[in-house]
Amino acid sequence: MTAEAGLTPERLTHLERLEAEAIHIMREVVAEAENPVMMYSVGKDSAVMLHLAKMAFYPSPPPFPLLHVDTTWKFQAMYALREKAAKDAGMELIVHRNPEAVEKGINPFDHGSLHTDLWKTEGLKQALTAHGFDAAFGGARRDEEKARAKERVFSFRTENHGWDPKNQRPELWSLYNARKNKGESVRVFPISNWTELDIWQYIHLNNIEIVPLYFSAPRPTVEREGMILMVDDERFRFEDGEEPVERSIRFRTLGCYPLTGAVESEAATLPQIIQEMLLTTTSEREGRAIDHDQAASMEKKKREGYF
Amino acid sequence: MADSEVIYETDALIAEDIDAYLEQHQHKSLLRFITCGSVDDGKSTLIGRLLYDSKMIFEDQLASLEADSKQVGTQGQDIDFALLVDGLAAEREQGITIDVAYRFFATEKRKFIVADTPGHEQYTRNMVTGASTADLAVILIDARKGVLTQTRRHSYLCHLLGIRNIVLAVNKMDLVDYDKAAFDDIVSDYRDFAAEIGIEDFLAVPVSGLKGDNIIAKSDATPWYDGPALLDHLEMVGLDFDRRRKQPFRMAVQWVNRPNLDFRGFSGLIASGRIAPGDAVRVLPSGKTSTVARIVTMPALGAAEGDGDLDHAIAGQSVTITLADEIDCSRGDVIAAADAPPEVADQFEATIVWMADEPMLPGRPYAMKIGTNNLRATITDEKYQVNVNTMEKTPGKELGLNGIAVCNISTDKPVPFTSYDDNPDLGGFILIDRITNATVAAGMIHFALRRSQNIHWQAIDVTREAHAEQKNQKAKLLWFTGLSGSGKSTIANLVEKKLHALGKHSFLLDGDNVRHGLNRDLGFTDADRVENIRRVGEVAKLMTDAGLIVLTAFISPFRAERQMVRQMLPESEFIEVFVDTPLEVAEQRDVKGLYKKARAGELKNFTGIDSPYELPENAEITVNTVEMTAEEAAEYIVEQMFNGS
């Protein structure tokens, strides 16, 4: 079979179309929302989002702040990149930590799913309400999980930040309805149509800076219940008989370090990471503990306001 | 079963030469397509098969798929591919897809985004949504059943949304023993129907989603079929962007980029054509011309400012351009090739697909978004509705959920546009309910109505201000609203007497009186009530233009229409007077005996009984007739009128 009739410079590649779509979406939000914000989790998807935002508004800096809903349990390397990335982009960085979770010392070792509920779900709602943000960019993708495959690009939230999957606004062409009543808000997902491969390839093509933890290196680890955990700081709690073991590992997703499983890997460059990802046999969210509880857990969390 | 050797080669490339693979993947084009059919047609199975055969399913997903298949699947011990695709918990329980879901897969040549939408008639709006961004539609037919009503519906909707590539996938060929005659009969039936609704061309493929025949590769089971396998066709078919690229340059301005006084860039997504520095452009609707100075993008890391500039850009790209001249241009304007600008108009014929439970009412104002323009629009005239199952045209006044109608629509200001057929980005629009902010309709412009081009507003030398000044007053519209029997007319009458005594020039428009003349053709359905208020609003506006203080006494039960009249007038001239009387009290008074009749069922659509009254949220004046007499209320209103302004 012959190749598709000539890919010339006069035809856009799929990445160019995805890039154009994401930029279009970001500009619509800035044009129509009163007080937008970009959720920034320091992960690879956030890195792409930030890059797209810089492109969308160049030569102006992106006309909104970055918001990091912190749990205090992220990897140290994430905190380091967070500060640098915001500074490089010329954007204000807002860090929110749920005061209730701070006070109660909520942590992933003792509190299980309460850790996510309080730091992330509640923390996010608090931050959005406190700053009066009426539009929040998120880096969720439709290929990540079944419930996300149906979410709109402009996802409307009630005053309590709830999502009603049965009552979503129809979204046609590239026309986004950003209208809302006072107190209501929209979550906006400009990279909805990107896949994990697209993200990696885009990072590769554009030399986008990402947290070094995505690249393989020898790191102190503990293996527990089939997950390899990294001993990232002195707060790590060893169980009886556990000793940190140095392994060559990297992370496919980044979250709170005691909840994020690493994979043993030698992939130290982007092409190697992509190669490993394509040949691997487990999907991206497998490394995160959050999804394992029940089949429809993500949908449930989203209804409650989790990003 | 079909062999998936195409995919195998890709795997080998990933393992052996990742850089070569990345190079290949980087240059893939993108095809978006929609699959139409019911659960019974094997739609989810077909998509599941495409994902599975193109290795988009990971091992952990496969493990859970195998477990789910045994537990809730419909294929016995075999894998039920449909389970891969069914997303939300509610859908899994019901066993149907209730929304639009988007799936992704890639082959060596292309990346694909599949819009998976439900097929039942009550989900027409979901299908329309999925079709709006699709380059191609795969219409599934069960080989045992042939062309059904739903096949016609799906085809009509895809055609309506402008999809030019139609693939007829005759599925479940395994269940008719791969019989050529069965296939040919279906194709022949479909060809007759397609011609009727204007589908010029389509490709028919005999497939089996379950067994994989003619999906990834040609199947040995259908030696008589000489066309491509489904996936081959998806990889080769032309894209809509190829067509758009050849049209004249057009870009709706999204945002004006103004970091400092020296830079003014216009950002937008190029809807059609090609642009390069030096090209002559025209800004619509103003018609001002200039030339493109730069196409600005962010330079690569470490490169100098200006290094990112493009020597040209094409349809589908998001760009920021600067112009050689300082001309007015802002969000909502369209920058176009100077010698081929789009039309500008404020009245159109369009096809409307209604997407809300609450019906469309001609005359009611909706928010409209077209391109980057936010306007106000009303449907002035519903020409006919289209039955999506039979394509029959029938007259109608309202339009319910999933209804489709050809309508005239009028906007509050002129807007640059193209026909939808030419370009969906500049000819497709949505209508939004102004109270709930829900997207209630999708629309596709056919053409501008000539009357909007030929009737111009006549400028009058004696202005409305001059009229009012001569009467030594300011024009006002006192809009009394409240339940039947609340005392609107009585109080309005007393207010007018007081105004008259004060030497003011006024006029009272009473609901009952107007219905004897101007509005005698109107009844009491929701649609007629909206039209009633629209006409009264227009008459009241003309009277305020003449400098009068106008008083109106109408139930005017809907917020949207009161808002509509408010927006016809300059700010501060509209004074909403809410005559607040509880239903029990109004019903007890029942001056005209109407509540009694309504309760007995002799009077339909009676406000407060079987038709809603939407309470005013921001009335300028509220009078409570339980606490005040009519005289006191009138006194209070006059006081407020002259104290307030």
Side-chain angles (χ1 to χ4, degrees):
Chain A
M1 196 169 58
T2 55
E4 177 185 357
L7 276 167
T8 68
E10 292 292 291
R11 168 175 285 181
L12 301 181
T13 67
H14 69 110
L15 280 175
E16 286 167 334
R17 278 181 70 182
L18 291 172
E19 178 186 75
E21 179 184 63
I23 288 173
H24 172 80
I25 291 164
M26 289 183 181
R27 289 170 174 168
E28 278 302 286
V29 171
V30 164
E32 297 213 347
E34 281 170 24
N35 190 13
V37 67
M38 177 170 278
M39 311 296 308
Y40 183 69
S41 73
V42 212
K44 64 182 195 308
D45 301 292
S46 280
V48 168
M49 289 276 289
L50 181 56
H51 180 84
L52 291 165
K54 288 194 266 185
M55 290 193 66
F57 303 102
Y58 179 86
S60 298
F64 40 78
L66 295 171
L67 170 65
H68 184 227
V69 178
D70 192 12
T71 66
T72 71
W73 288 94
K74 303 292 177 188
F75 292 92
Q76 295 307 316
M78 294 171 74
Y79 291 119
L81 182 64
R82 180 183 76 185
E83 306 300 322
K84 179 175 185 299
K87 195 160 154 276
D88 288 351
M91 295 166 77
E92 183 197 351
L93 171 70
I94 299 169
V95 175
H96 180 83
R97 297 182 194 95
N98 181 353
E100 192 193 340
V102 173
E103 192 193 322
K104 290 186 176 158
I106 299 296
N107 66 73
F109 297 107
D110 299 323
H111 302 102
S113 69
L114 194 63
H115 172 75
T116 304
D117 286 348
L118 276 186
W119 284 115
K120 293 177 84 173
T121 311
E122 281 307 311
L124 174 60
K125 288 187 207 173
Q126 285 170 355
L128 294 178
T129 305
H131 293 273
F133 294 124
D134 64 340
F137 291 110
R141 307 188 319 265
R142 286 169 173 160
D143 79 326
E144 283 178 273
E145 207 269 340
K146 280 181 195 169
R148 286 193 169 155
K150 312 212 158 186
E151 183 148 3
R152 303 292 187 261
V153 172
F154 276 53
S155 189
F156 180 78
R157 299 299 154 104
T158 61
E159 212 157 343
N160 306 319
H161 304 285
W163 180 57
D164 180 0
K166 283 208 178 141
N167 198 16
Q168 300 196 81
R169 293 174 178 175
E171 201 160 78
L172 293 104
W173 304 295
S174 49
L175 287 177
Y176 302 101
N177 174 3
R179 291 171 63 109
K180 57 210 163 312
N181 288 316
K182 210 169 159 46
E184 298 166 343
S185 59
V186 282
R187 307 274 169 94
V188 183
F189 304 108
I191 56 171
S192 285
N193 287 325
W194 297 49
T195 63
E196 188 180 5
L197 176 58
D198 298 332
I199 293 289
W200 282 119
Q201 183 138 33
Y202 193 77
I203 289 170
H204 182 45
L205 283 172
N206 293 285
N207 293 314
I208 296 170
E209 186 171 11
I210 53 173
V211 183
L213 294 167
Y214 285 113
F215 300 99
S216 179
R219 297 185 169 105
T221 63
V222 160
E223 189 170 347
R224 191 180 290 172
E225 289 165 24
M227 283 221 302
I228 300 173
L229 299 177
M230 176 173 159
V231 184
D232 192 55
D233 61 29
E234 71 294 341
R235 293 178 297 173
F236 192 90
R237 282 195 214 156
F238 294 99
E239 287 174 6
D240 284 349
E242 278 181 347
E243 284 280 333
V245 178
E246 193 173 270
R247 290 184 173 89
S248 180
I249 56 153
R250 65 178 198 87
F251 292 86
R252 298 178 60 199
T253 64
L254 293 175
C256 293
Y257 79 81
L259 292 175
T260 310
V263 291
E264 287 196 86
S265 165
E266 299 299 329
T269 67
L270 277 166
Q272 285 168 357
I273 288 174
I274 297 171
Q275 182 174 41
E276 194 172 276
M277 183 205 89
L278 289 171
L279 297 177
T280 197
T281 52
T282 49
S283 65
E284 188 177 359
R285 297 200 69 87
E286 194 78 343
R288 295 190 200 171
I290 181 173
D291 268 359
H292 291 290
D293 307 354
Q294 57 195 87
S297 70
M298 179 57 76
E299 186 183 339
K300 189 168 160 287
K301 288 212 183 311
K302 286 175 76 76
R303 282 172 189 268
E304 290 160 3
Y306 179 73
F307 224 91
Chain B
M1 178 179 147
D3 191 14
S4 39
E5 63 185 279
V6 181
I7 305 308
Y8 173 74
E9 282 168 22
T10 305
D11 266 4
L13 194 58
I14 292 168
E16 283 157 22
D17 189 350
I18 184 66
D19 292 325
Y21 172 81
L22 286 176
E23 175 74 13
Q24 182 193 66
H25 183 71
Q26 183 190 329
H27 291 105
K28 285 173 188 171
S29 59
L30 174 66
L31 179 85
R32 299 187 68 143
F33 70 96
I34 179 173
T35 51
C36 316
S38 299
V39 184
D40 303 340
D41 299 330
K43 182 166 56 77
S44 294
T45 306
L46 180 82
I47 298 171
R49 165 68 67 178
L50 284 169
L51 299 179
Y52 181 77
D53 283 355
S54 59
K55 296 275 169 76
M56 292 306 285
I57 296 164
F58 291 101
E59 204 166 83
D60 57 328
Q61 290 175 324
L62 194 61
S64 95
L65 174 66
E66 278 167 1
D68 283 358
S69 293
K70 283 174 191 151
Q71 206 183 349
V72 289
T74 56
Q75 300 300 324
Q77 290 301 300
D78 290 336
I79 289 178
D80 186 351
F81 291 107
L83 293 177
L84 268 179
V85 181
D86 289 342
L88 301 183
E91 295 169 38
R92 274 208 232 173
E93 282 154 24
Q94 291 172 27
I96 50 160
T97 323
I98 50 173
D99 206 298
V100 192
Y102 296 92
R103 313 282 165 200
F104 307 85
F105 68 98
T107 65
E108 277 184 2
K109 298 185 180 65
R110 272 194 177 154
K111 178 182 157 174
F112 298 93
I113 301 179
V114 192
D116 178 19
T117 68
H120 302 290
E121 187 170 356
Q122 65 265 39
Y123 303 123
T124 293
R125 70 168 174 175
N126 305 82
M127 222 201 95
V128 166
T129 301
S132 74
T133 51
D135 291 305
L136 176 145
V138 177
I139 292 170
L140 270 109
I141 288 191
D142 185 331
R144 298 169 302 173
K145 296 180 185 157
V147 177
L148 301 176
T149 299
Q150 61 162 7
T151 316
R152 296 197 181 92
R153 182 172 68 240
H154 299 157
S155 305
Y156 170 73
L157 291 174
C158 288
H159 183 63
L160 183 69
L161 271 289
I163 298 178
R164 286 171 166 77
N165 294 302
I166 305 275
V167 176
L168 191 68
V170 181
N171 195 21
K172 304 195 182 179
M173 284 302 292
D174 53 315
L175 298 182
V176 295
D177 297 326
Y178 302 98
D179 179 26
K180 178 175 189 298
F183 176 76
D184 287 346
D185 281 352
I186 289 169
V187 174
S188 160
D189 276 1
Y190 187 78
R191 180 166 293 121
D192 293 346
F193 162 75
E196 265 173 52
I197 63 165
I199 294 175
E200 287 164 10
D201 198 18
F202 65 93
L203 172 77
V205 190
V207 300
S208 166
L210 201 61
K211 308 283 181 198
D213 298 290
N214 291 327
I215 306 274
I216 302 289
K218 292 288 290 284
S219 166
D220 295 338
T222 53
W224 44 265
Y225 172 69
D226 56 10
L230 178 61
L231 195 61
D232 284 344
H233 183 66
L234 297 178
E235 284 183 325
M236 303 292 289
V237 74
L239 302 169
D240 194 48
F241 271 97
D242 298 341
R243 185 179 69 90
R244 291 208 206 178
R245 211 177 57 226
K246 295 178 188 120
Q247 296 175 335
F249 171 75
R250 268 134 204 206
M251 181 185 96
V253 176
Q254 270 189 291
W255 190 67
V256 179
N257 193 337
R258 190 114 222 227
N260 54 58
L261 290 176
D262 302 326
F263 187 94
R264 201 158 69 116
F266 304 102
S267 300
L269 180 67
I270 302 177
S272 67
R274 181 183 195 279
I275 190 80
D279 285 1
V281 290
R282 190 182 297 269
V283 176
L284 282 301
S286 75
K288 299 254 170 60
T289 57
S290 183
T291 52
V292 175
R294 294 172 58 194
I295 306 173
V296 182
T297 67
M298 187 167 76
L301 212 62
E305 147 73 22
D307 273 10
D309 281 17
L310 303 177
D311 59 7
H312 75 278
I314 58 172
Q317 277 180 286
S318 281
V319 294
T320 297
I321 62 179
T322 62
L323 301 179
D325 308 278
E326 282 257 337
I327 55 174
D328 274 349
C329 182
S330 55
R331 178 171 167 86
D333 289 349
V334 169
I335 301 179
D339 55 358
E343 281 180 75
V344 176
D346 60 3
Q347 294 189 53
F348 309 93
E349 186 191 277
T351 300
I352 303 280
V353 182
W354 198 253
M355 300 182 153
D357 290 323
E358 197 177 323
M360 179 270 274
L361 300 176
R364 169 169 288 188
Y366 296 99
M368 177 186 195
K369 188 166 183 188
I370 174 168
T372 54
N373 255 305
N374 290 298
L375 314 148
R376 205 143 33 91
T378 46
I379 294 177
T380 50
D381 187 18
E382 186 178 315
K383 294 184 156 176
Y384 56 84
Q385 292 185 18
V386 181
N387 180 319
V388 283
N389 292 322
T390 61
M391 314 305 135
E392 250 175 356
K393 295 172 182 175
T394 50
K397 255 188 161 179
E398 295 188 352
L399 195 62
L401 178 65
N402 293 320
I404 296 177
V406 171
C407 302
N408 288 346
I409 187 159
S410 141
T411 57
D412 65 338
K413 59 179 188 192
V415 53
F417 76 101
T418 68
S419 75
Y420 179 80
D421 221 26
D422 262 6
N423 196 313
D425 283 351
L426 294 174
F429 60 86
I430 53 172
L431 297 180
I432 299 164
D433 184 290
R434 297 170 65 228
I435 309 280
T436 66
N437 293 322
T439 302
V440 293
M444 287 146 284
I445 292 180
H446 302 168
F447 46 75
L449 297 176
R450 296 187 100 195
R451 60 175 182 237
S452 85
Q453 290 155 356
N454 295 333
I455 299 182
H456 295 280
W457 190 257
Q458 185 63 48
I460 298 166
D461 289 333
V462 180
T463 63
R464 61 196 315 278
E465 288 76 22
H467 282 296
E469 215 165 290
Q470 191 184 42
K471 297 179 183 69
N472 199 21
Q473 62 186 25
K474 281 188 177 144
K476 295 268 180 231
L477 170 53
L478 281 171
W479 188 275
F480 290 77
T481 173
L483 293 171
S484 174
S486 59
K488 293 182 299 298
S489 296
T490 310
I491 297 171
N493 199 33
L494 287 170
V495 170
E496 193 183 25
K497 278 210 279 206
K498 289 179 191 298
L499 291 174
H500 192 75
L502 288 166
K504 301 292 177 189
H505 299 260
S506 64
F507 191 79
L508 172 61
L509 278 167
D510 181 81
D512 286 350
N513 297 354
V514 172
R515 278 189 178 274
H516 283 298
L518 177 66
N519 289 352
R520 73 171 163 218
D521 57 325
L522 299 177
F524 290 89
T525 62
D526 284 357
D528 281 355
R529 282 173 188 270
V530 171
E531 177 60 13
N532 182 42
I533 297 306
R534 190 193 68 80
R535 289 186 200 172
V536 169
E538 291 287 356
V539 169
K541 180 179 180 301
L542 289 173
M543 289 180 167
T544 58
D545 283 346
L548 294 176
I549 296 172
V550 185
L551 301 89
T552 65
F554 294 83
I555 299 173
S556 46
F558 304 127
R559 244 173 247 148
E561 279 66 57
R562 297 193 298 260
Q563 183 68 12
M564 165 177 74
V565 178
R566 181 186 289 272
Q567 290 186 343
M568 286 178 187
L569 297 174
E571 218 169 313
S572 85
E573 280 190 20
F574 183 88
I575 299 174
E576 189 168 346
V577 182
F578 176 32
V579 182
D580 185 4
T581 305
L583 179 64
E584 313 83 69
V585 178
E587 188 166 358
Q588 209 175 1
R589 291 182 194 155
D590 205 6
V591 193
K592 300 170 193 163
L594 297 175
Y595 282 98
K596 212 167 164 189
K597 278 191 188 169
R599 286 286 183 204
E602 294 163 31
L603 210 52
K604 288 278 165 222
N605 299 321
F606 194 77
T607 301
I609 308 297
D610 57 349
S611 183
Y613 179 80
E614 298 171 359
L615 290 175
E617 282 174 338
N618 302 301
E620 275 78 5
I621 302 175
T622 299
V623 288
N624 183 321
T625 66
V626 178
E627 290 161 9
M628 292 178 178
T629 64
E631 182 61 37
E632 284 165 355
E635 188 69 40
Y636 176 72
I637 292 165
V638 174
E639 212 179 278
Q640 289 295 308
M641 264 181 81
F642 295 107
N643 286 350
S645 52

